[in-house]
Every structure is written in C-alpha cells, then in structure tokens.
Amino acid sequence: GPRAVVYRVNAGRVPDAHWTLAREIGGGRIVGELCHMLDLLAFWLGPELVAWSATGLPSAAPTGQGVAVSLGFRDPGGGGHVASLAYVSMGAKGLAKEWIETHAGGGSLRLDDFTKLESHGLGRAQDLGRADKGHRAEIEAFRDAIRGKRSPLLDVEAAYAATDLALRIDAAVSGRESDG
C-alpha cells in the first residue's frame, strides 16, 4: 500500500568558504550530498517522481545548507507514495546525523543513524551495530560492473534522475535557473 517517509539529515554546518560549497569544485551540499538521499528515496518509493517542491532557508540560500523537500513517487505497480526530506546544518552536534521514519499499512519503522531500527506494529526493534551505509557494497558492485557483471542496484537512469533533481532543487532554492 501507500508509504510515507520522513527523512531528516542533521548535516552540520561547514564554513561558507569550504570547498564542498563551491559549485565548480564540490557542487554544493544539495548536489554533493542531498542527491544521495534523493536517490535512496527514489529506490524505496519510486522510481517515478511525480511531484516535488523545495524551500530553502533564506539565511542558507547561498550555500544550500538548509532545505525542506516534498516528494511524490509512483512505483512500477502504480502505487503512490510521499516523502518529506529536511536537510539542516544548524542542529545540535549530539543529534544523530540521519533519522528516517517510514509508515505504511498501520506499521512504522524508525531508523536512527543506520545503527538502530525501531519497529512499531511490525515486530521488535533491532540494534544494527555499526552503521552500514553500503559503501563497501557500492564499491564491490562498481567493481563487478566494470568486469561486465550487471547489478539491479546500479541503474544509470536512476543516478541521472537523482542528480537532475538535485540540480533542480539547488537552482530553485538558490534563485538560479536550472539547466535541467
């Protein structure tokens, strides 16, 4: 059935002169980091993006260090799903970097920094131990792809779509025109 996801990223502030914020070098925080969260949400809920809107914090507009994004997706079976993504840099340092809640069919899951999974109405909570964001698996899948092995997780179109959306969001919240 339909799913709703709330995703909060407490990224921490970087100085305005930091290289990651330079569009010509690091791409900025939306293009360089938020794109990964967009890709994950599309993988979970999509792949078809049917609606989006974004609002940047006025004080963070030049650097993209604060943005709220609303997304609507359609899965291959035609089901509709929504996500809300808040990317902030002004949160407390002691707060988890990533926090995700997923709600569907009367049950809810909450993932805290990819180390603890709480379940409400779907089973028991799990301590996942050390955070695994898939970096090792990503490198192995990339290596396999170079060797000609196909993977359902490496989808060029999905990567392009996430990057294109990140560029459009960045342009919208910074007041620039998008090339996408």
Side-chain angles (χ1 to χ4, degrees):
R3 294 181 301 257
V5 175
V6 179
Y7 196 152
R8 188 262 303 138
V9 181
N10 181 34
R13 186 153 187 85
V14 295
D16 289 348
H18 196 269
W19 70 269
T20 59
L21 301 179
R23 284 185 170 76
E24 63 281 354
I25 300 171
R29 293 199 87 173
I30 293 172
V31 174
E33 187 170 345
L34 187 75
C35 66
H36 300 297
M37 290 78 185
L38 297 169
D39 190 36
L40 179 61
L41 289 168
F43 180 75
W44 282 346
L45 303 175
E48 183 184 354
L49 178 69
V50 295
W52 71 272
S53 65
T55 304
L57 288 170
S59 61
T63 59
Q65 294 199 65
V67 63
V69 182
S70 294
L71 303 159
F73 290 98
R74 185 173 301 121
D75 66 34
H81 314 285
V82 295
S84 175
L85 173 58
Y87 183 92
V88 300
S89 63
M90 72 290 287
K93 291 183 182 198
L95 186 65
K97 180 180 180 191
E98 294 180 63
W99 173 87
I100 306 166
E101 277 190 0
T102 302
H103 308 276
S108 300
L109 297 171
R110 182 170 49 212
L111 184 60
D112 194 357
D113 243 358
F114 293 89
T115 60
K116 182 180 178 187
L117 179 64
E118 290 182 27
S119 175
H120 301 272
L122 298 171
R124 61 183 187 67
Q126 297 180 36
D127 183 352
L128 304 174
R130 197 171 147 257
D132 179 2
K133 295 185 182 182
H135 297 121
R136 182 182 310 260
E138 178 182 31
I139 291 169
E140 289 172 4
F142 180 71
R143 182 198 63 220
D144 289 346
I146 290 172
R147 293 179 177 157
K149 216 180 203 181
R150 302 225 31 120
S151 167
L153 299 179
L154 287 176
D155 182 347
V156 173
E157 289 80 19
Y160 174 81
T163 303
D164 181 61
L165 179 57
L167 289 166
R168 291 187 286 150
I169 290 169
D170 187 54
V173 301
S174 68
R176 294 178 295 110
E177 291 294 318
S178 172
D179 295 333

